[in-house]
Amino acid sequence: MIEVPTTTDSQKLLQQLNALLEQEARCQPKVCGLRLIECAHDNGLRMTARLRDFEVKDLLSLTQFFGFDTETFSLAVNLLDRFLSKMKVQPKHLGCVGLSCFYLAVKSTEEERNVPLAADLIRISQYRFTVSDLMRMEKIVLEKVCWKVRATTAFQFLQLYYSLLQENLPFERNSLNFERLEAQLKACHCRIIFSKAKPSVLALSIIALEIQAQKCIELTEGVECLQKHSKISGRDLTFWQELVSKCLTEYSSNKCSKPNVQKLKWIVSGRTARQLKHSYYRITHLPTIPEMVP
C-alpha cells in the first residue's frame, strides 16, 4: 500500500511523511537530559518527572479550556521538554517556563484572532508572576531552543499515518476514530518517558495498539508498510506499544490524576469572567478527554 501509492492524495501524503521523517530528529529533547530529570529525587529543589508531568497536565487543561488544537499542545510539550532537557530549572520557576512554552506554541500554531492576551493567560492559570516575567522567560526559552519554535511532533505523524491508512480503505470500513487517537496521544504526552521516543515511533505505536484493540485486521498490513517505510524496527515498535498500553490502562483508572478543567471553569466565574472580553472563553462548554479504552 505504502510502497506503491494508488492515488495522487496518497503520493502527496507520502511526500509529507518523507519530509517529517527527515526533520524529526532536529528539534527533539536531549534524552540524556530527560533521564537526569527521571532520576532526580523530589526534594523541592530539583526538577523531577512528577513535577514535569503535573505541569504538562496543566498545559493540557489550558489547551482544552481554550479549545486549541492538539498540535498546539504537542508543540508546547516539545518546547518544554527541549528546555528542561538542557537547563536546570528550579521547581518554583516551572510554571513560568511551562506557560512561556505554551504561549510560544499558541502564537506559532493558532490563528492570531484566537491568541489570548498574556495577562489573561496568566490570570486563568492562577500564577502570580507578571507579563514582564512571562516575556523575559519566553526570550530565555527561545534562546535555549535556538529560536526554533516549530518542530516535528508526534501529532503530525499521527495525522499522516491515519490519513494514509484511511486513504486506502472504503468509507464504510473506516473503523479508526481519530479523536480517540488524539486523546491517547495527549495522555502519553503527560508522561515524560514518551518524550524519549521518536515522534514517528510514538504515533505509530498508538495507532498499531488501537488497531489491535479494535481488531481492525484489514489495517494490519498498512501498519507494517508504514513501519517499513519509516524505518522503525519491530523491537522498537513493540517496546513502545507496551509502554503506551500500560500508560492508557493507568490513565483510565481512578488512581490517575486528570487535567482539571473544572478548576479553570471555577476561576473564570463571577467577576473575573466579566473582565474577559474575548470570545474564546466559553466557560459553559468545557471539552473533556474521551475515554481511553473500550
Side-chain angles (χ1 to χ4, degrees):
M1 178 190 73
I2 302 302
E3 294 177 348
V4 185
T6 57
T7 67
T8 301
D9 288 340
S10 292
Q11 292 174 345
K12 290 180 180 178
L13 290 171
L14 270 183
Q15 290 173 357
Q16 294 175 36
L17 176 58
N18 290 336
L20 288 185
L21 289 169
E22 183 181 347
Q23 298 166 5
E24 75 171 325
R26 296 178 185 175
C27 294
Q28 295 305 312
K30 296 173 62 177
V31 174
C32 58
L34 296 177
R35 286 173 179 162
L36 287 176
I37 295 174
E38 288 181 312
C39 295
H41 296 292
D42 197 352
N43 58 9
L45 300 175
R46 297 184 63 184
M47 183 56 50
T48 65
R50 184 181 67 85
L51 290 174
R52 178 269 179 197
D53 292 351
F54 275 130
E55 179 62 25
V56 171
K57 288 176 183 176
D58 283 344
L59 299 187
L60 179 53
S61 294
L62 286 172
T63 302
Q64 293 176 301
F65 176 77
F66 286 107
F68 290 148
D69 194 78
T70 302
E71 170 60 9
T72 299
F73 173 62
S74 200
L75 180 58
V77 173
N78 171 274
L79 288 167
L80 177 63
D81 286 333
R82 283 161 64 191
F83 187 81
L84 293 180
S85 67
K86 288 183 177 182
M87 304 296 296
K88 291 183 179 180
V89 177
Q90 295 183 21
K92 64 181 180 180
H93 296 144
L94 180 59
C96 192
V97 172
L99 200 63
S100 297
C101 293
F102 181 76
Y103 204 30
L104 284 170
V106 169
K107 289 185 286 187
S108 178
T109 59
E110 299 291 336
E111 294 184 17
E112 186 176 354
R113 60 186 175 85
N114 293 329
V115 176
L117 296 175
D120 291 343
L121 190 59
I122 293 171
R123 183 185 305 153
I124 291 296
S125 305
Q126 295 189 89
Y127 287 122
R128 295 183 178 180
F129 51 77
T130 65
V131 172
S132 296
D133 294 332
L134 185 67
M135 295 301 102
R136 282 195 297 270
M137 183 60 72
E138 188 176 273
K139 184 178 179 181
I140 293 172
V141 171
L142 283 170
E143 290 174 350
K144 294 307 176 182
V145 300
C146 302
W147 297 85
K148 296 178 181 178
V149 175
R150 300 308 300 263
T152 302
T153 65
F155 178 71
Q156 293 171 338
F157 278 106
L158 195 72
Q159 283 183 310
L160 277 176
Y161 286 150
Y162 175 83
S163 297
L164 279 163
L165 288 171
Q166 300 298 70
E167 184 69 23
N168 292 270
L169 275 181
F171 180 77
E172 62 272 12
R173 294 172 64 187
N174 188 340
S175 51
L176 282 182
N177 184 307
F178 188 71
E179 185 182 72
R180 183 180 171 88
L181 294 172
E182 279 188 276
Q184 293 172 348
L185 175 61
K186 290 174 184 176
C188 289
H189 275 325
C190 292
R191 301 290 181 88
I192 192 173
I193 190 171
F194 292 105
S195 292
K196 296 190 293 185
K198 286 184 177 181
S200 58
V201 177
L202 177 56
L204 194 59
S205 297
I206 291 171
I207 288 178
L209 191 67
E210 181 66 7
I211 285 174
Q212 290 180 11
Q214 300 297 332
K215 298 180 180 179
C216 306
I217 301 175
E218 66 274 12
L219 294 178
T220 302
E221 183 181 353
V223 169
E224 292 174 354
C225 290
L226 288 172
Q227 177 187 342
K228 181 179 179 181
H229 186 87
S230 303
K231 298 180 180 179
I232 299 173
S233 70
R235 181 178 180 180
D236 280 350
L237 190 62
T238 300
F239 174 80
W240 288 106
Q241 271 187 252
E242 291 176 353
L243 289 179
V244 169
S245 178
K246 181 180 179 182
C247 170
L248 298 182
T249 299
E250 292 174 352
Y251 194 91
S252 64
S253 71
N254 294 328
K255 296 179 181 180
C256 180
S257 63
K258 309 293 193 304
N260 191 354
V261 293
Q262 287 301 320
K263 182 175 74 171
L264 293 180
K265 182 176 179 179
W266 178 82
I267 294 169
V268 295
S269 62
R271 181 170 57 87
T272 302
R274 290 191 291 272
Q275 294 173 348
L276 303 176
K277 300 179 181 179
H278 299 281
S279 61
Y280 46 72
Y281 296 106
R282 298 180 180 180
I283 62 175
T284 58
H285 296 90
L286 292 177
T288 57
I289 299 180
E291 292 296 326
M292 293 294 109
V293 295

